[in-house]
Amino acid sequence: MFAYEEQYGCVKLAGKKSDEFTVTNGTKQGSVLLPLLFSVYLDDLLQELRKLQLGCHIGGVWMGACGYADDLALLAPSRDVLQCMLNICESYALEHNLVFSTDPVAARLKTKYGREGRRVRYPANVQLHGKDLPWVETVQHIGHNLHQTCGMNMDCRQARAKFISKTVEFREQLSFANPKQILKAIQLYCSYAYGGMLWNLS
């Protein structure tokens, strides 16, 4: 409680810092305690959804919601079930002083939803706090792109681009070395960072 009640921040611009000010809402980014605190805070909501058996079931096991570190994904078999789940989330948020993102600017909106299927026909929008949520082809959850085709191509492309960017950055840091030394260093980096001992990078 003390860590969150005694939060202070400042703005750094052109090497100079502003006066400190208190931070009255939000969570610390990157805190190792955050996923645990979030799980405790949302446990009653997840229990309520499970008790009502709303959402998807896989092999007879309820899989209607996934929550981790301020990120919540609802999985529903239909639009109507999803709307029921959102209504429960909305009530829970009002009772527990939570705010879901419903920014009118789509690029800044964090609450959105997608639909599985190759030839997607979008039904009427679901609503949260009286506002329509946009349909999207891809939803990001905990760093993974979930595409409406249920394929992994977009996620793989993103991971590949990140990997290439890291190896280029790594190579530039070793610009003084010869190509064989650089390749050996990249192989070591891949084996430790990506578990790629079996990769043939030649």
Side-chain angles (χ1 to χ4, degrees):
M1 288 298 291
F2 180 83
Y4 279 94
E5 286 177 351
E6 300 294 321
Q7 282 191 100
Y8 294 91
C10 65
V11 176
K12 187 174 181 182
L13 182 63
K16 295 183 180 178
K17 290 183 179 178
S18 71
D19 294 335
E20 284 189 345
F21 51 87
T22 56
V23 179
T24 56
N25 61 3
T27 53
K28 290 176 180 278
Q29 292 298 308
S31 167
V32 293
L33 189 58
L34 179 60
L36 177 64
L37 291 176
F38 183 72
S39 297
V40 169
Y41 202 69
L42 276 195
D43 190 53
D44 288 342
L45 171 61
L46 297 175
Q47 297 247 12
E48 187 174 349
L49 290 169
R50 183 183 291 123
K51 184 176 73 179
L52 295 170
Q53 291 294 296
L54 291 171
C56 290
H57 294 76
I58 299 173
V61 178
W62 180 79
M63 301 291 287
C66 307
Y68 182 80
D70 86 351
D71 209 348
L72 179 66
L74 301 177
L75 306 171
S78 71
R79 181 222 174 267
D80 292 338
V81 172
L82 180 59
Q83 185 61 65
C84 287
M85 294 173 83
L86 282 171
N87 293 343
I88 291 166
C89 290
E90 191 175 315
S91 299
Y92 187 85
L94 291 171
E95 284 177 38
H96 295 83
N97 199 26
L98 280 172
V99 178
F100 293 107
S101 168
T102 53
D103 197 299
V105 179
R108 292 198 303 245
L109 183 68
K110 291 187 177 180
T111 308
K112 45 193 139 196
Y113 61 114
R115 180 180 170 92
E116 182 272 324
R118 294 189 182 277
R119 293 184 180 150
V120 177
R121 290 183 185 160
Y122 297 115
N125 291 67
V126 293
Q127 291 193 330
L128 184 64
H129 298 298
K131 296 179 182 172
D132 284 350
L133 298 179
W135 283 107
V136 292
E137 285 185 16
T138 304
V139 176
Q140 194 168 66
H141 181 64
I142 315 173
H144 293 282
N145 285 306
L146 308 174
H147 197 269
Q148 68 186 14
T149 61
C150 293
M152 294 182 63
N153 290 345
M154 182 171 282
D155 210 31
C156 290
R157 276 200 304 271
Q158 183 179 326
R160 181 177 181 271
K162 187 176 176 184
F163 170 74
I164 289 170
S165 173
K166 281 285 183 191
T167 55
V168 168
E169 181 184 313
F170 194 67
R171 189 182 67 210
E172 286 171 356
Q173 289 176 356
L174 297 173
S175 58
F176 58 86
N178 71 44
K180 284 187 179 180
Q181 290 172 319
I182 292 172
L183 182 61
K184 185 65 180 168
I186 288 175
Q187 284 175 322
L188 284 171
Y189 171 74
C190 291
S191 67
Y192 290 114
Y194 293 92
M197 282 295 247
L198 302 176
W199 292 4
N200 178 1
L201 298 177
S202 58

